[in-house]
Amino acid sequence: MLTLILLLGFIVVPMGIYQWKERKHSTPALQWPILAPLIKMDYQPDPPRLIGKRNGRTVTIDVFRGHVRVATILPFSSRLRVEIAPKAQVLRKAGIVVPDPVVTNDRAFDNRLMARCSDTQAGLNIIDPVLRQRLLAHPIVDIFGHGQMVQWQVPAVRDPDHIEDLLDVLTVLATEMERFPETSNA
């Protein structure tokens, strides 16, 4: 009997603790209220999201299509459409021919990721060597910028330093996209 109790204590209790920690780390409603003050953002519970300012810009973190969307808002629409993701993912979305690739001639970047921009020359300026190195440091890159939003989808956000780096990259992209405002035909 004592052996059974000890066995349960050494197996069930650690498994229960592990399951609780995993649930806590994967559930925004449980994790984000704790993260909010660490990254100087406000937590809103319904639906769970974080809102704040980063580098003078409005930024949000929310759940979108089963992923966590980290985004920054532009004050006006940009005419650019920018996408940066793993090469296979971009090819799958675009089809066999990618109409607007940004070829950086950076072997490490071009082998792993593909960038697209509606204005290829602007894309080369935006996706400069410093930004490419910052992007290569991330295991998951899925960035899309269009209109008044630049967003990065990731499976989860847990580490404040990682979140701040994602937000910094997005605000750099937003600043560059703002240099190309959408022109009205008025």
Side-chain angles (χ1 to χ4, degrees):
M1 183 64 158
L2 183 61
T3 306
L4 181 61
I5 292 172
L6 288 173
L7 185 62
L8 287 174
F10 283 115
I11 294 174
V12 174
V13 172
M15 284 178 53
I17 292 170
Y18 173 78
Q19 290 295 327
W20 168 249
K21 284 183 178 180
E22 282 300 307
R23 184 175 183 280
K24 183 179 176 185
H25 286 298
S26 63
T27 306
L30 297 174
Q31 182 189 25
W32 291 359
I34 297 164
L35 275 175
L38 299 174
I39 56 175
K40 297 179 179 86
M41 294 180 77
D42 296 320
Y43 172 71
Q44 295 182 350
D46 193 22
R49 63 182 167 174
L50 297 168
I51 297 177
K53 293 280 186 185
R54 184 75 178 183
N55 298 331
R57 299 185 170 284
T58 300
V59 293
T60 63
I61 300 173
D62 60 4
V63 177
F64 181 72
R65 296 182 182 166
H67 290 88
V68 174
R69 175 176 56 184
V70 181
T72 186
I73 311 302
L74 283 68
F76 52 84
S77 288
S78 172
R79 67 179 170 83
L80 295 182
R81 181 183 183 284
V82 177
E83 179 180 7
I84 308 167
K87 191 181 265 188
Q89 182 178 329
V90 174
L91 289 172
R92 187 173 54 251
K93 284 182 189 176
I96 295 172
V97 177
V98 178
D100 47 9
V102 177
V103 180
T104 66
N105 293 319
D106 177 335
R107 188 185 320 236
F109 183 86
D110 290 340
N111 284 342
R112 180 174 158 224
L113 300 171
M114 178 175 273
R116 297 175 62 194
C117 184
S118 55
D119 180 331
T120 307
Q121 187 57 46
L124 281 171
N125 293 333
I126 292 170
I127 305 164
D128 65 8
V130 173
L131 182 61
R132 291 193 303 262
Q133 290 306 308
R134 289 183 78 178
L135 292 172
L136 286 172
H138 291 275
I140 297 171
V141 177
D142 186 1
I143 297 173
F144 181 70
H146 181 69
Q148 286 187 262
M149 181 185 283
V150 182
Q151 63 184 359
W152 191 329
Q153 289 192 31
V154 293
V157 290
R158 297 179 179 157
D159 176 35
D161 292 335
H162 181 246
I163 296 168
E164 289 176 341
D165 193 42
L166 294 175
L167 292 170
D168 286 343
V169 168
L170 289 177
T171 58
V172 166
L173 280 168
T175 299
E176 291 300 316
M177 286 180 66
E178 280 180 355
R179 294 181 30 225
F180 301 90
E182 187 172 73
T183 56
S184 64
N185 295 335

